[in-house]
Amino acid sequence: MPDSVPKTLTETFNSLFPITVMAVGVALISTFITHFTGVTFPEMVLNALAPVISAFDNLFSTTLLIVLQQVLWWFGIHDLALGAVLDPIRLGNEMVNAAAYAQGTPLTELPHILTDSYWFVFLNIGGTASTFGLCLLLLRSKAKRFRTIGKLGIVPAFFNINEPVMFGIPMILNPFWLLPYVGVATLNGIVAYVCMMIGLVNRPAIIVGWNLFFPLGAYLSTLDFRAVILIIVLAVVDTLIYYPFFKRRTEENGEWHKNQRVIEYFESNNTQN
């Protein structure tokens, strides 16, 4: 194309040929497989991966995945790095649950727990590492810096967005926050998994958005008011776990500011003298 054409438009046209080749190729392969095997290409892939998918959906494997996600996030690696592999599994599990529910299976007996709704609603209360309770604590901090972070973070936290808190405190790459950053979400995941496993709370059958306010997301994904009670209890427990870390950090911050004011006072007096 001539130089007068914008680069983005040129790149769009350049991508049309490979996209067309891929789409036609996949359509031909899918048609061939369906004709000779009687199953669709996606169904064949899911059947082949069924043992791997089933291996992920247990308490031990799920806990390891949660810990891995939190550790990666603490190092500043976005969860999409892991989600690119897990999301098809979680979404597939939830669609299987939805199909089973449509056929009359009770919500407490659905095949899968490891689903998108379980992951994003019950693990990430207020965002990665379940920092909703921490935002509430920050709003009551005596240190202006932390109050400001709390004010910036509380509204996004209602929609499970917590970058203002993670990078404002900061929690990322901060050894002081590593234990609660990994432990809180892991605890939430274990408790929620066990409650769903023993039938105390319905298993997710409806895919909801990851940025839905957590009590609403808990109910809509499970159609169970007990899930709302569970997630509120988890949020309270999260707050209690974060409290000693919050208190220690704000006290250190307050001492630093107090000592800094004393130093500045003596320095100003020495300058005047």
Side-chain angles (χ1 to χ4, degrees):
M1 286 189 156
D3 295 338
S4 59
V5 177
K7 183 179 179 181
T8 54
L9 187 59
T10 301
E11 291 176 350
T12 301
F13 276 102
N14 289 341
S15 64
L16 287 178
F17 179 73
I19 289 174
T20 303
V21 171
M22 291 175 62
V24 172
V26 170
L28 291 174
I29 293 172
S30 181
T31 302
F32 178 84
I33 291 173
T34 303
H35 178 74
F36 287 98
T37 65
V39 298
T40 63
F41 181 55
E43 187 178 359
M44 187 183 72
V45 173
L46 285 175
N47 290 339
L49 294 177
V52 178
I53 294 173
S54 299
F56 275 115
D57 197 358
N58 59 69
L59 181 58
F60 178 74
S61 298
T62 300
T63 302
L64 288 181
L65 291 173
I66 297 170
V67 171
L68 179 59
Q69 173 192 257
Q70 296 306 115
V71 171
L72 288 175
W73 248 124
W74 185 81
F75 278 104
I77 302 173
H78 198 281
D79 64 350
L80 284 176
L82 186 62
V85 177
L86 290 182
D87 213 34
I89 296 174
R90 296 188 303 235
L91 283 172
N93 286 349
E94 196 143 10
M95 287 188 284
V96 170
N97 280 4
Y101 176 57
Q103 294 173 0
T105 304
L107 286 167
T108 54
E109 300 175 10
L110 295 177
H112 299 290
I113 297 175
L114 180 59
T115 59
D116 247 28
S117 296
Y118 160 80
W119 193 271
F120 290 112
V121 175
F122 293 92
L123 267 64
N124 303 314
I125 303 174
T128 302
S130 296
T131 54
F132 185 81
L134 180 59
C135 285
L136 296 178
L137 293 173
L138 290 170
L139 289 173
R140 299 179 59 84
S141 174
K142 296 179 181 179
K144 182 179 179 181
R145 170 196 167 197
F146 289 112
R147 283 200 311 274
T148 302
I149 295 172
K151 291 175 182 177
L152 291 172
I154 188 61
V155 174
F158 279 96
F159 305 99
N160 298 325
I161 299 170
N162 66 344
E163 277 77 2
V165 174
M166 288 198 303
F167 296 101
I169 288 181
M171 302 176 77
I172 302 300
L173 291 177
N174 188 337
F176 179 84
W177 292 99
L178 176 60
L179 181 60
Y181 194 87
V182 175
V184 170
T186 304
L187 175 66
N188 289 352
I190 292 173
V191 173
Y193 197 102
V194 170
C195 288
M196 293 178 184
M197 185 171 61
I198 64 178
L200 190 61
V201 174
N202 290 347
R203 300 180 180 188
I206 300 171
I207 300 173
V208 296
W210 63 268
N211 55 352
L212 200 62
F213 184 43
F214 57 89
L216 185 59
Y219 176 74
L220 291 179
S221 62
T222 62
L223 301 178
D224 190 352
F225 280 108
R226 294 174 300 177
V228 179
I229 297 173
L230 170 63
I231 205 165
I232 291 174
V233 170
L234 289 176
V236 172
V237 173
D238 295 347
T239 306
L240 295 176
I241 294 173
Y242 271 118
Y243 179 74
F245 294 91
F246 157 79
K247 186 175 176 59
R248 174 68 180 275
R249 181 56 75 203
T250 53
E251 284 180 351
E252 289 178 355
N253 190 76
E255 285 297 319
W256 184 87
H257 281 290
K258 184 171 67 176
N259 294 337
Q260 187 69 16
R261 287 196 296 270
V262 172
I263 293 171
E264 291 174 353
Y265 171 78
F266 281 108
E267 287 180 345
S268 62
N269 285 345
N270 290 335
T271 302
Q272 292 174 3
N273 293 334

